Amino acid sequence: MTRRTDRKPLHLNAFLMSVGHHEAAWRLPESPASGGTDIAHYKNLARIAERGLLDSLFLADSPVLMGDPGRRPASKLEPTVLLTALAGVTEHIGLIATASTSYNEPYNLARRFASVDHVSGGRAGWNIVTTAGADAARNFGLDDTPLHRDRYLRAAEFVDVATKLWDSWGDDAVIADKESGVHALADKVRKFQHRGTYFRVDGPLNVQRSPQGYPLLVQAGSSEDGKDFAARYAEAVFTAQQTLDEAIAFYKDVKERAAGFGRDPEGIKILPGIVPVIGDTEEQARALDDELDRLIRPEFAVRQLSKTLRIEPERLELDKELPEDIPTEDEIEGAKSRFTLIVELARREKLTVRQLIGRLGGGRGHRTFAGTAEQVADTIEEWYDAGAADGFNIMPAVLPSGLELFVDRVVPILQERGLFRTEYTGRTLREHYGLPRPANRLFDTVDTSAGHLGIALTEVS
């Protein structure tokens, strides 16, 4: 593999999911039964990730109970609340959480993330998602999910409003002059009176501008709308790619789209997900992987797969391949890119349903890999040098053991190869990712017509 000429330290994010990404991880003897709501468990994970000098940790979320509660731990704490607790036991690692633009309002969400950024000293990140699914819609008084395109239009306006709210205080607004009795300069705190298709918001926010200006903006959709959204707004992209060629194509596509929006392609970091199962030997790693797959309850997995594919469960026969007549991506609403990834994986490798649910059990479509620490490091280096990634979203199959093995065995190899930091050199999440603090569109005298958000100053009325 040719070594890339622009080799810079790669970025590593720890995607923390309850007791592990494999759906059967909770059945292992060492797994904490209440990991999804055990704050001590999450504090331990955050400390491990920071010990490994990782850029950030990430908590996914959805405003609906996901899947059958009998299948795996389904109870989740609200992530921004959890991030605040984790900020108190860490000093450096970035803290990223998912929040939906479909079922939140810009003011409340902007306030929550500004608060986390203040509490953490500038380490907050927001994973921007557009939630699909009728179950979630019915939790908010709707009969069904809005159309895919409509969700992304709402998301774009949502981000526009949120950034205006974060910009509604100038960086020099607070002077706290006790002698004069003036705490903040009134002309440095402004309303902006947004009037759009989805939102009417006057501002200003009731939280002053936070250490990072904005939290790091993250996105995880890989549909055509999702890639356009990422290219325009995101500063980091979590993506699922099964093959090196697909990852290279996605990387190139998103970077080119970003340039098309007037952005520096280096200002958007692409992090494919990888589910490493690590052993002292390859045989040991494969044995653990096989044991996890053996513990999957097929009846739960088939029901979940049928929901993803939008077909009846009885049509999925465990020892046969997928039916030929399943819907296409154009015929479904929501999770379009993940739908296509799963179908293409099954067709390309001629997997039976039993084999497919085993492949999905660990990463739900992200690349799974069983091997030694050296082999995991080799895979990471190969993808990085091939131009498929700026870093990786590490998704341990089992927690905490999988994260400990990655930190204690894989990270030192990456450091020896000059691929990863040996100490934190910045304080904020943006500094970890090598990204600038955004200019304030309401107060800074800059040309924002092709800024990193692609929103012209004239849009601020």
Side-chain angles (χ1 to χ4, degrees), residues 23 36 50 52 54 73 135 202 228 310 315 340 362 382 401 422 434:
E23 66 177 81
E50 186 164 78
L54 272 60
D135 289 346
D202 283 358
D228 269 344
R310 277 64 164 185
R315 296 188 59 208
T340 299
E382 178 189 15
S401 60
T422 56

Side-chain angles (χ1 to χ4, degrees), residues 188-386:
K188 295 289 186 176
V189 183
R190 294 182 185 171
K191 292 184 177 182
F192 50 79
Q193 295 181 321
H194 176 91
R195 299 293 182 266
T197 303
Y198 299 94
F199 305 109
R200 293 169 57 87
V201 180
D202 283 358
L205 195 63
N206 62 349
V207 182
Q208 70 190 69
R209 203 162 195 252
S210 69
Q212 292 189 110
Y214 307 161
L216 185 78
L217 300 179
V218 184
Q219 196 267 350
S222 297
S223 66
E224 290 303 306
D225 287 334
K227 286 186 286 189
D228 269 344
F229 187 89
R232 185 174 182 186
Y233 299 105
E235 295 162 304
V237 177
F238 297 155
T239 179
Q241 306 294 333
Q242 281 288 324
T243 70
L244 179 59
D245 287 344
E246 289 170 347
I248 292 171
F250 178 88
Y251 184 95
K252 185 173 183 288
D253 186 6
V254 173
K255 296 277 186 170
E256 288 177 350
R257 293 182 194 224
F261 283 110
R263 296 182 59 189
D264 178 359
E266 287 297 308
I268 180 169
K269 309 299 182 182
I270 311 296
L271 285 77
I274 182 172
V275 185
V277 180
I278 303 168
D280 292 336
T281 64
E282 185 176 344
E283 292 73 22
Q284 186 187 73
R286 292 191 181 281
L288 174 57
D289 198 30
D290 290 343
E291 173 67 4
L292 288 166
D293 287 351
R294 186 187 66 78
L295 292 172
I296 293 174
R297 289 281 297 270
E299 61 271 34
F300 290 143
V302 166
R303 285 202 294 268
Q304 183 62 37
L305 181 59
S306 73
K307 288 182 66 175
T308 301
L309 300 180
R310 277 64 164 185
I311 62 175
E312 298 76 17
E314 54 269 21
R315 296 188 59 208
L316 296 173
E317 299 182 54
L318 283 172
D319 295 311
K320 293 186 178 180
E321 295 182 26
L322 293 181
E324 288 297 328
D325 56 334
I326 60 177
T328 66
E329 179 180 304
D330 292 338
E331 295 174 306
I332 68 168
E333 279 297 326
K336 286 177 178 286
S337 58
R338 191 59 50 87
F339 171 93
T340 299
L341 183 150
I342 290 171
V343 173
E344 288 182 349
L345 169 64
R347 303 287 194 219
R348 180 176 62 247
E349 301 190 20
K350 300 185 183 304
L351 301 176
T352 65
V353 170
R354 190 187 302 276
Q355 292 169 328
L356 180 59
I357 62 178
R359 293 286 293 273
L360 299 178
R364 303 169 310 284
H366 290 86
R367 186 167 187 264
T368 58
F369 183 87
T372 64
E374 190 87 22
Q375 288 173 321
V376 172
D378 288 345
T379 296
I380 287 173
E381 184 172 21
E382 178 189 15
W383 279 43
Y384 175 75
D385 276 339

